[in-house]
Amino acid sequence: MTDFFEFEADFVDSLRCIPMQVRCKLDTCGIKLKLSDWNQMTTAERQALVELPCTTETEIQSYHEHIQQLILQRTGIPATKLPIESHPAWLDATVPASLQEKAQELGVTLTQQHWAGLTSLQRFALIKLSRPGHENKNFERAIAEFHLL
């Protein structure tokens, strides 16, 4: 999976920010990656994190070990581990209430039909972008990109 969202277009060429697909993999394997740590990696290392699979249990474990080692090499400090959700909200069949509330601030009502029509990565992106303290301009851009207006 190496597709990027349109709302990420301003940084994907340089990979100066962590793209959603990598953020999803990080949540899946239970690693917190700071932007400062990401920026210490080479472009090739960042690209590898985009391209490496992280779906099956074996791939998830391998991704976890790879990024753990990479962060240790670059920073000298082990990566912070995150709890791995057994059933993350982006895989749930219902729209999370917090996401629905954020969408309604834009005058958008997310229906179950909308939610069912999104990929798991699109759902992940909407959930991440709707959290307090995140750049809300990208939330609105994602809503538009996913044709939810």
Side-chain angles (χ1 to χ4, degrees), residues 69-140:
Q69 182 181 32
L70 189 56
I71 292 170
L72 187 58
Q73 286 173 347
R74 291 285 171 228
T75 68
I77 301 168
T80 303
K81 293 183 180 179
L82 295 173
I84 299 173
E85 295 180 46
S86 59
H87 189 74
W90 62 90
L91 296 179
D92 200 354
T94 57
V95 182
S98 59
L99 175 58
Q100 190 66 270
E101 290 169 16
K102 186 68 179 175
Q104 287 176 348
E105 290 175 16
L106 299 175
V108 175
T109 300
L110 295 177
T111 65
Q112 290 306 123
Q113 187 177 5
H114 287 136
W115 189 246
L118 296 172
T119 67
S120 61
L121 186 58
Q122 288 172 322
R123 291 176 180 187
F124 174 85
L126 288 174
I127 290 169
K128 288 295 183 183
L129 293 171
S130 68
R131 292 193 171 156
H134 203 284
E135 279 189 64
N136 292 331
K137 68 174 183 158
N138 283 339
F139 179 73
E140 191 168 347

Side-chain angles (χ1 to χ4, degrees), residues 20-32:
M20 280 295 165
Q21 59 188 292
V22 173
R23 292 180 66 191
C24 186
K25 292 173 185 181
L26 293 167
D27 279 18
T28 300
C29 76
I31 295 285
K32 179 170 179 64

